[in-house]
């Protein structure tokens, strides 16, 4: 059963367990009740490891005056070879510490995480903070989870924008082809720890998979630019499923030599059937959309919604070459209220995946989550995931497939102590450009496109790999 935990930023309603110590650090460790409840903790080691830090803290900050320690627990640091560290909770609202004698991962002098001391087991993630393992979903979930607003995808116009950071083709936090250059420019104190991405990943473009598009014309009738449907949720889900491998691998995956789990690249000609499409009446005939002002061209353009007969990135008419798997996802999406001009909510991806996979005889378990732990774990098995953004500098509110990650570390000096922190970057199929820019390929022909999630709010969609029925090879 999933545990729901609320953050209470208050002191215990009962008396604090700590005892007055008259500003002597040694007495923080003398509460016999805490010792009995924390029988796994080596108090001598803890005291010798943190004594200097606590003395400097109490001497340097008159506002921080803990009278004792309420709780100590040895916990696991995830993604760090099962390393054990200490979680130390100071009395009332005097904060907490996570670390050992080598590294301080987090040290807060304000707040009271009351609920943690009532949990039998929890861990600390350099990605997500405090997490708890969900036995039903076989993955970690954030304990403290800010409520995430579902993304509603927006149509993306094809426009050129100036380069802002090194290693980018577009301003903001996306379209990064050289992550090291980007990080060195924007985050000069970051150091690369590790990175991995799925080789041979095939992108899916929103424009290619749009049954209807909006085309923008000059007053003289010349086509100037165009935008896809607001189909990023459907397209990203298709991208993830159409790149699922057929072979289970417990370590790093040799992606390129395997066929797709769903045979998702098979296509169909929808040019005749579109006439019976349930959205055709509103989007199929050339319908006036709106007049927009193009800042690059410095003029107003007339927009029309039309059936997508424009040549796509594969140089084929899109309407005659749409993937069958995408159209099956789209059918479920329409039943869930999808409209080309409004998109749909990211939370609907669970319905898209689990109803569509039944057509292929599978029973995939898919969940939306705030935790990135399972995304990284799946990538190491060759399994892509989904990400949705809320307020991205480049993508605004958007859904994309994730098929790689990079982990960077950096240190932060905070008054009297130093913390080691981590930042993560994601390799994404954004659903639109860049398409053929050679900068976005590695030396082996694999497409690369990094996204920086550290400037916005994100959420994830993850397949439980234990629910995949792998064929015998």
């Amino acid at each position: 059963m999933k545990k729901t935990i609320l953050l209470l930023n208050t002191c215990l309603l009962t008396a604090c367990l700590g005892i007055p110590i008259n500003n002597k650090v040694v007495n923080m460790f003398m509460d016999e009740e805490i010792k009995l409840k924390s029988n796994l903790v080596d108090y001598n080691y803890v005291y010798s490891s943190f004594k200097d830090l606590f003395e400097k803290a109490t001497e340097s900050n008159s506002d921080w005056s803990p009278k004792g320690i309420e709780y100590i627990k040895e916990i696991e640091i995830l993604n760090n070879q099962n390393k054990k560290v200490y979680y130390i909770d100071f009395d009332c609202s005097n904060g907490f510490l996570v670390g050992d004698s080598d590294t301080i991962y987090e040290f807060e002098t304000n707040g009271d995480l009351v609920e943690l001391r009532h949990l039998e087991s929890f861990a600390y993630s350099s990605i997500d903070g405090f997490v708890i393992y969900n036995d039903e979903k076989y993955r970690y979930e954030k304990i403290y989870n800010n409520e995430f607003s579902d993304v509603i995808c927006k149509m993306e116009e094809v426009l050129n924008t100036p380069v802002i950071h090194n290693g980018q083709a577009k301003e903001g936090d996306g379209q990064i082809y050289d992550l090291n250059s980007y990080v060195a420019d924007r985050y000069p104190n970051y150091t690369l720890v590790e990175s991995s991405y799925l080789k041979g990943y095939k992108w899916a473009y929103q424009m290619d998979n749009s049954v209807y598009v909006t085309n923008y014309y000059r007053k003289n009738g010349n086509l100037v630019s165009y935008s896809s449907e607001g189909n990023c949720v459907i397209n990203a889900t298709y991208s993830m499923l159409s790149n699922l491998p057929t072979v289970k691998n417990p370590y790093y995956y040799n992606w390129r030599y395997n066929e797709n789990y769903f045979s998702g690249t098979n296509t169909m000609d929808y040019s005749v059937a579109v006439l019976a499409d349930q959205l055709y009446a509103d989007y199929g005939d050339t319908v006036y959309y709106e007049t927009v002002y193009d800042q690059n061209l410095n003029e107003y353009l007339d927009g029309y919604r039309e059936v997508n007969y424009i040549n796509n990135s594969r140089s084929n008419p899109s309407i005659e070459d749409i993937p069958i798997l995408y159209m099956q996802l789209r059918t479920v999406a329409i039943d869930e209220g999808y409209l080309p001009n409004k998109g749909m909510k990211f939370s609907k991806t669970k319905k898209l995946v689990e109803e569509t996979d039944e057509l292929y005889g599978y029973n995939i378990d898919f969940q939306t989550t705030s935790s990135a732990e399972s995304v990284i774990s799946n990538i190491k098995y060759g399994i892509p995931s989904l990400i949705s953004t809320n307020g991205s500098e480049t993508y605004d509110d958007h859904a994309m497939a994730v098929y790689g990650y990079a982990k960077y570390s950096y240190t932060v000096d905070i008054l009297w102590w130093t913390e080691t922190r981590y930042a993560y970057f994601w390799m994404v199929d954004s659903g639109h450009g860049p398409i053929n820019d050679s900068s976005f390929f590695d030396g082996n022909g694999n497409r690369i496109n990094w996204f920086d999630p550290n400037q916005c709010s994100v959420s994830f969609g993850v397949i439980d790999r234990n629910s995949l029925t792998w064929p015998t090879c």
Side-chain angles (χ1 to χ4, degrees):
M1 180 176 181
K2 184 178 179 181
K3 299 178 181 178
T4 302
I5 301 171
L6 300 177
L7 174 60
L8 304 176
N9 192 20
T10 62
C11 183
L12 281 173
L13 297 179
T14 58
C16 295
L17 295 176
I19 59 175
I21 60 171
N22 298 322
N23 293 325
K24 292 183 179 180
V25 173
V26 65
N27 287 328
M28 282 188 188
F29 299 89
M30 293 181 64
D31 191 315
E32 294 300 326
E33 186 175 356
I34 296 300
K35 289 184 180 182
L36 291 173
K37 290 183 178 180
S38 306
N39 56 358
L40 297 179
V41 173
D42 183 342
Y43 267 63
N44 291 328
Y45 172 80
V46 173
Y47 174 69
S48 62
S49 297
F50 299 109
K51 179 176 179 292
D52 290 343
L53 179 67
F54 294 154
E55 285 181 345
K56 290 178 182 177
T58 54
E59 291 172 0
S60 303
N61 185 0
S62 59
D63 294 330
W64 190 63
S65 56
K67 295 179 174 62
I69 292 174
E70 288 179 345
Y71 184 70
I72 300 180
K73 187 177 182 66
E74 191 177 38
I75 64 173
E76 181 183 351
I77 291 284
L78 302 184
N79 292 324
N80 201 345
Q81 298 181 340
N82 297 322
K83 181 180 180 181
K84 298 287 189 179
V85 298
Y86 291 99
Y87 165 69
I88 302 175
D89 184 8
F90 302 104
D91 69 304
C92 294
S93 294
N94 282 297
F96 63 92
L97 179 144
V98 179
D100 58 17
S101 59
D102 298 323
T103 306
I104 302 299
Y105 292 92
E106 191 168 353
F107 183 14
E108 298 290 342
T109 57
N110 290 292
D112 192 21
L113 309 186
V114 178
E115 54 285 335
L116 290 184
R117 71 195 66 157
H118 300 297
L119 295 178
E120 180 179 347
S121 176
F122 62 92
Y124 188 84
S125 163
S126 60
I127 313 172
D128 300 316
F130 293 105
V131 294
I132 189 169
Y133 191 74
N134 189 311
D135 291 321
E136 292 182 350
K137 296 182 180 178
Y138 303 103
R139 65 173 62 97
Y140 287 97
E141 298 286 356
K142 284 185 181 182
I143 293 177
Y144 302 112
N145 178 23
N146 294 329
E147 184 177 353
F148 182 82
S149 298
D150 271 331
V151 167
I152 297 178
C153 296
K154 300 179 179 179
M155 292 184 292
E156 180 75 11
E157 291 186 28
V158 178
L159 299 173
N160 294 319
T161 53
V163 175
I164 299 299
H165 300 287
N166 292 338
Q168 277 187 293
K170 188 173 182 177
E171 63 185 349
D173 50 19
Q175 291 203 17
I176 303 166
Y177 57 84
D178 186 338
L179 184 59
N180 286 331
S181 296
Y182 172 85
V183 170
D185 184 19
R186 192 165 193 175
Y187 310 103
N189 296 322
Y190 285 28
T191 302
L192 179 64
V193 177
E194 64 183 31
S195 67
S196 177
Y197 58 94
L198 308 182
K199 309 305 187 293
Y201 192 93
K202 293 181 173 133
W203 277 33
Y205 294 101
Q206 285 181 242
M207 182 61 66
D208 292 357
N209 290 331
S210 291
V211 175
Y212 310 105
V213 297
T214 302
N215 296 324
Y216 297 94
Y217 296 85
R218 284 196 171 100
K219 300 302 181 183
N220 60 11
N222 291 335
L223 177 65
V224 177
S225 64
Y226 48 87
S227 63
S228 69
E229 294 182 15
N231 60 339
C232 66
V233 168
I234 312 173
N235 191 77
T237 306
Y238 166 76
S239 180
M240 175 185 68
L241 293 180
S242 65
N243 281 282
L244 275 180
T246 57
V247 180
K248 186 176 182 180
N249 189 315
Y251 300 106
Y252 291 90
Y253 197 81
N254 202 348
W255 187 269
R256 68 181 68 206
Y257 299 111
N258 295 282
E259 296 179 359
N260 168 252
Y261 194 60
F262 275 87
S263 300
T265 55
N266 296 337
T267 61
M268 63 184 296
D269 183 344
Y270 198 61
S271 59
V272 175
V274 70
L275 298 176
D277 189 274
Q278 61 190 79
L279 301 179
Y280 184 84
D282 293 323
Y283 300 94
D285 267 334
T286 302
V287 178
Y288 177 73
Y289 175 54
E290 65 178 355
T291 297
V292 299
Y293 180 73
D294 190 314
Q295 293 183 338
N296 289 350
L297 299 174
N298 194 28
E299 61 181 291
Y300 287 93
L301 303 175
D302 288 331
Y304 294 88
R305 290 198 184 103
E306 303 171 301
V307 174
N308 187 7
Y309 285 102
I310 296 178
N311 285 348
N312 61 25
S313 62
R314 297 185 300 271
S315 299
N316 297 313
S318 293
I319 196 66
E320 297 177 4
D321 189 31
I322 287 189
I324 296 173
L325 175 58
Y326 175 87
M327 293 301 289
Q328 290 167 337
L329 290 165
R330 178 179 179 269
T331 299
V332 178
I334 292 173
D335 289 341
E336 293 297 312
Y338 165 73
L339 293 175
N341 63 325
K342 292 183 178 180
M344 68 183 301
K345 292 184 177 181
F346 185 73
S347 59
K348 299 294 186 180
T349 50
K350 180 174 175 64
K351 276 268 192 182
L352 297 189
V353 172
E354 295 184 353
E355 289 194 17
T356 301
D357 73 348
E358 290 182 3
L359 299 173
Y360 291 82
Y362 302 137
N363 187 26
I364 292 177
D365 177 25
F366 179 88
Q367 301 289 338
T368 54
T369 176
S370 60
S371 172
E373 285 288 350
S374 50
V375 177
I376 289 178
S377 177
N378 273 5
I379 287 171
K380 291 179 178 179
Y381 276 77
I383 300 172
S385 298
L386 300 181
I387 187 172
S388 65
T389 66
N390 189 353
S392 162
E393 295 173 340
T394 298
Y395 301 114
D396 197 6
D397 301 341
H398 193 43
M400 302 179 283
V402 181
Y403 62 101
Y405 74 93
K407 177 181 179 181
Y408 283 76
S409 68
Y410 60 103
T411 58
V412 179
D413 293 325
I414 306 177
L415 297 178
W416 52 85
W417 75 90
T418 299
E419 290 182 4
T420 299
R421 297 180 180 176
Y422 297 92
Y424 287 80
F425 300 83
W426 303 105
M427 188 170 287
V428 296
D429 173 3
S430 66
H432 40 78
I435 297 176
N436 295 315
D437 187 333
S438 60
S439 300
F440 287 87
F441 291 86
D442 65 14
N444 296 315
N446 299 297
R447 190 181 297 278
I448 53 176
N449 180 51
W450 292 100
F451 164 63
D452 173 5
N454 303 292
Q455 304 299 320
C456 66
S457 176
V458 298
S459 187
F460 301 95
V462 182
I463 290 173
D464 175 7
R465 61 176 177 269
N466 295 304
S467 68
L468 295 175
T469 306
W470 300 97
T472 303
C473 301

